[in-house]
Amino acid sequence: MIVFLQGLFLACFFLGGCYEREPVRIGIAVQLTGKQAELGVQERNAVQLAVESINGSGGIQGRPVELITRDDLGTPAGAGAAMRDLIAAGVVAVIGPATSSQAMVEAPMADNARLVMLSPTVSSPLFSGKDDYFFRVFPTFSKGAYHLAESALVNRGVSRIAILYDSDNAAYAGTYAGVFAERFRALGGAITGEVGFSSRTEPDFVQMLAKVFAGRPNGILVIASDDDTALIAQRTRMRSGDIPIFIANWAMTETLILNGGKAVEGLEGEQGYDMNSKSPPLADFLARYKARFGQAPTFGAAFAYEAADVLAAALRRTGGKPAGLKQALLGTRDFKGLVDTFSFDGYGDVERPHYICVIRDGRFATVDVIKRDRP
Amino acid sequence: MKPAMDAPGRPPTLNRLLLRLITLRLLVPLLLIGAAVFVAAGYLGEKRIEAEQHLLTYSTASLVERYLDHASRMLDAVARAAQVSTPAERALLLKTTLAAYTHFDTLYYLDKRNKITSMVPTQTRYLGLDMSNLPYFGQTGLLAPADGGVIISSPFISIRTGAPTVYLIKRLPAKGTVIGELSLASLQREIMGLKGRVANSIIYILDQSGMVLAHPSASMVRERTNLGNLEIFRRALAGDVSLVFNDGRRWMLGSADRIESGGWVVVTQVPLSAAFGPYAWTLVVLLLATFGIWAALSWHLRGQLRRHVVKPLERLSRLATALADGNYAENAAAAGAPATSAELDRLTTEFRSMSGALKEREALLRESEERYRSLFDRVPAGLFRSTPDGRIVDINPALQHIMGFTEREALLDFRIADIWVTPEERVKWAAAVEKDGIVRDYETQMRRRDGTLFWARLNARAIKGGGDQLLFFEGILEDISERKRAEEERTRLEEQLRQSQKMESVGLLAGGVAHDFNNLLTPILGYCDILIKGLAPADPRRIKLERIREAADSAKELIKRLLAFSRKQLIELLTVDMGDVIRGFENVLRRTIHENISIEVEISPSLGLVCADRGQLEVALLNLAINAQDAMPDGGTLTIEAREMDLDESYTSSHPEIAPGTYVMLAVSDTGSGMDKQTLEHIFEPFFTTKEMGRGTGLGLATVYGIVKQHGGSICVYSEPGMGSTFKIFLPRAAADARVVAERLPLNGEVERGSETIMVVEDNVMVRELAYEMLKQLGYKVVAAETPEQCMELMNELEFPISLLLTDVVMPNMNGRQLFERIRDLCPHTKVLFMSGYTSNVIGRHGVLDEGVQFIQKPFSIQVLSQKVRQVLDSRG
């Protein structure tokens, strides 16, 4: 009896905290600091919101989800360090990265470690058609850029277009430019110039635009981050008040609007997401995000939330274990996202509609939905 | 001292009881007090930490307030100056202000259209840009304070510095806007210096949406971590608060305060484990000390209890056990052990006196028990006690002996049902005992251990307990096999006696009848003969008379056989050779017995002589042969065998009529149908026959039996159905020096005459007159007397001597022999011829004629009478 009393007492005292079940650890590697951190922060916030929601409804088969966050700093070195950290932490999957250039570093590492990596916003077609551990819920822009070229030429009557792109994210920007230009030329349009710049060097866009306008374009395509796109838009409007500006989906964040002032009114781009949809899940998400983080989410947050959701659904099928997770994700069909349903193809890519958006009165307005596929 | 009976079943030991008391009455209160002290100390400690945290958050919040207020006043002063300055002066103003007040990262001056017109430090890529979409900048969404003071924007992370930053915005009516980019990095430094006294305590600042503005972990600030989900943050938005909350990994004790000017929140928190760790350790030490004291006290008290109470009690308990085992010596030895307390001393004393009393009582009991045990063991009757279901509980040596057990235990394992020959009988017996309470003199057969059966007599009664429930049977079992055998033997002997008495009475009856019959037949035959003699051969009446005579002859023959069977036939024993008899009679047998039966004769060469009546032997032989022939209607073999045999006691014990000795055996065997046991029992009875009516008289074997008995011999028969039969006759062998006696000459058929004087004495008038008539015809002088007395009178009157006395044997007053002796006295030459219908001791013993006595059997013919008379008269002496 004495031993029992003592044992019970000591056990209660020292071991009380150990009864909880081992959590399911999910990593997230996105850019959280630096000039282009907005997209990553939004995605991190959305994933955090999703994890809080999952844990609030009982976790994955009774196990709580623990989110391990790593800042990939937006650099190749940062991407490598973040991935090594997460692999060492024993995560079952990684959500991220936000951009294609970071994915060029992180995707092979994940594949090497046989660790599922699910990106919310990497859209470069460079990652398409590969049987690896890299997944994404974002549609490749090969279709979006293709249709944006059509829209520019056919709907807006732009026949000569100049392209500015951020060469720091060449995997995205360079490819996007290529797809767009190919289609644009194919439709009979002319590319008056392709100007790449390194966003890290904070270039002088005034001089750059002078060079662009020298080719007498009647439209401009900017493939850059929100911050840079805002500056380029402001500088462009100072030179030409009405030249149509087309932007890549990378830039379509709140920061673009905040920093763009009146100059961003009328900017047109394609997006894999209809942020103006009246879909109840989306409305619920928007409201919760706003309440949690004090600002409205953009497409990145929505995609990240879907990524966390679809990953959790797959993990429920594997009992929270990494084994079989790839197959579980590949087997995902008609998953209900916030707006559309989507399915993974055999290479971990998704098919979903594209939306043509225009900024009006400081908001993204959806003007067209392109459901047809690229021929 | 009665142990505490606080639980069903076994009561606890004193040690356990003491442990329980110490635990419940000492340890538990100590623990409760310890816990209460811990709770109280913990509560007070928590209050102290809370107060400390509250002070810390409050002072931090004040610090931030002052910081913002200070910067706002600075910007306000710059704006007022800028309002009245030229663009060049404005640029200078901004530059000098930035240099003087280093908390501003950048100072902007926006024109009326919200375009950057100047900024310090100058960055040309931003000059001229439209900032109208930024909150607080443009006309729309502007939350201008009512007093037209400085607007503080939501914090954001500066792209250039990576530090949290706010815009301080001062609107200049109709002129433009002065904006200061205020770095909050200094807050980070402040909170890093403001650590609570409690270890692991941290302070951090969140903006109104929960984004981290200052935190000991700087990366959380840079990465724009949002802690808006913390409960303490949400509660703090409504006012200052202290509470325990979970930060997602650990439980925290926190305090939060809202900064009024920016709507931000300052949080101070400390992990619960760190806050209360010292208290927990104190509790552990306290509890361990409690346990230690309790353990030491228990140990000590148990030792004391053991020495002063338990050991003395255990000693008494051992003594009680010894007492129960009957060991009084140990109790006497323990009497001197010292007591450790008055109660124990009293208990020891009482125990001692109880032990003495018990010893005395047990001695008496044992003596009584021994007396009864001795009785039980030595009584010659078998005593037992058994259960109703047939288990033996106790038996005495006598019963053990009866049952054939060498060890008593073996019988105790034995089942009653195995002893009884039929278990059903035992059930009936048990039921009877249970019903009547007692069953006396119940006799039955039982089985010994070796399986042999014996007769037992049971006297048993039922022993019942409370509620009339049957507990045991107990009683006496006696082996009465010996008595039973004696009884059976007596019954058998009685049966034999009854049989011989029956034969005897039949014989007496037959003898009586024969006597009168012979008297009746004598005149019939006699007068028939006389009449036939008197008739011419051709006289037709002669035939009728001969018919009468034939019938009378048959009657005479019948009487003769009756007499033979009833041993009333007078026989004359001579020493004869049995072999001669058989051989002499063989021809007669071969003529008489049917041809399909072969006759084999086996006569032992060294055959002794016997004393027998040859004629009777022949009659017996003939009757046995005829009996054998009847048993073999389809033919077979008749074997006649004669040899000498020594009969010892084993044979004579079952045939008490003969004595042990050497006998001549005559065996007659057939190969016929044999006889069953029932037939054998009655085979020698007169008129018992297995033949159909009219074929036999039933006297054949009865006659044989009578003849054998009259010869002092024995007859027995061996037969089984289908196996044939063998009749064996044993006759005593004559003395070794005996010789064969020549027989008297047989009577021939001639009528011999004479003239002597013959006195006839016969009480039967018809016989007397016939004899008189016959003798007259034969030429004799005849005097007849009715009685011996009359004879004696006549003798006196007679002038001439009597040559022959022909007298009846049995007469009233005087028998024939006595009469003859009287006459012999008068006339010594008088001879005598006795006539009788049956035997009488007067002239012989048991029907055997005394030697030298002449006798004529009634009824007699005139020829026999003439020859017999002549024979006697002619004999010498």
Side-chain angles (χ1 to χ4, degrees), chain A residues 179-204:
Chain A
V179 172
F180 184 94
E182 188 191 358
R183 182 60 182 156
F184 197 77
R185 286 199 187 96
L187 290 171
I191 307 296
T192 60
E194 279 186 53
V195 181
F197 64 91
S198 168
S199 56
R200 291 193 197 96
T201 60
E202 298 193 357
D204 184 356

Side-chain angles (χ1 to χ4, degrees), chain B residues 449-465:
Chain B
R449 188 194 192 184
D450 60 7
T452 56
L453 298 181
F454 72 99
W455 276 95
R457 180 167 63 201
L458 276 168
N459 280 287
R461 50 193 232 100
I463 306 296
K464 294 184 175 176

Side-chain angles (χ1 to χ4, degrees), chain B residues 492-506 567 681-686 705:
Chain B
R492 200 176 61 78
L493 288 176
E494 279 173 1
E495 183 58 34
Q496 243 172 13
L497 179 66
R498 201 159 43 246
Q499 184 68 20
S500 54
Q501 280 173 342
K502 188 169 82 182
M503 301 291 267
E504 194 62 38
S505 57
V506 170
R567 285 165 272 160
E681 277 176 17
H682 301 283
I683 191 77
F684 296 119
E685 285 177 20
Y705 182 83

Side-chain angles (χ1 to χ4, degrees), chain B residues 408-425:
Chain B
R408 192 165 154 270
E409 284 67 28
L411 185 58
L412 294 182
D413 292 338
F414 212 64
R415 304 216 31 111
I416 286 277
D418 298 327
I419 295 173
W420 288 71
V421 175
T422 54
E424 296 76 20
E425 190 188 359

Side-chain angles (χ1 to χ4, degrees), chain B residues 463-471:
Chain B
I463 306 296
K464 294 184 175 176
D468 212 28
Q469 189 205 354
L470 180 60
L471 298 178

Side-chain angles (χ1 to χ4, degrees), chain B residues 473-485:
Chain B
F473 295 125
E474 63 178 25
I476 306 169
L477 188 152
E478 291 167 88
D479 181 358
I480 55 167
S481 301
E482 208 50 50
R483 204 201 68 201
K484 274 279 177 187
R485 253 199 304 281

Side-chain angles (χ1 to χ4, degrees), chain A residues 25-40:
Chain A
R25 294 192 175 84
I26 296 175
I28 177 164
V30 288
Q31 184 180 351
L32 294 172
T33 56
K35 214 160 85 59
Q36 299 176 352
E38 176 64 18
L39 186 61

Side-chain angles (χ1 to χ4, degrees), chain B residues 542-557:
Chain B
R542 192 180 176 103
I543 300 298
K544 289 166 186 163
L545 281 171
E546 279 176 354
R547 288 283 180 274
I548 292 169
R549 195 204 154 106
E550 279 170 21
D553 270 341
S554 293
K556 179 181 136 187
E557 194 59 32

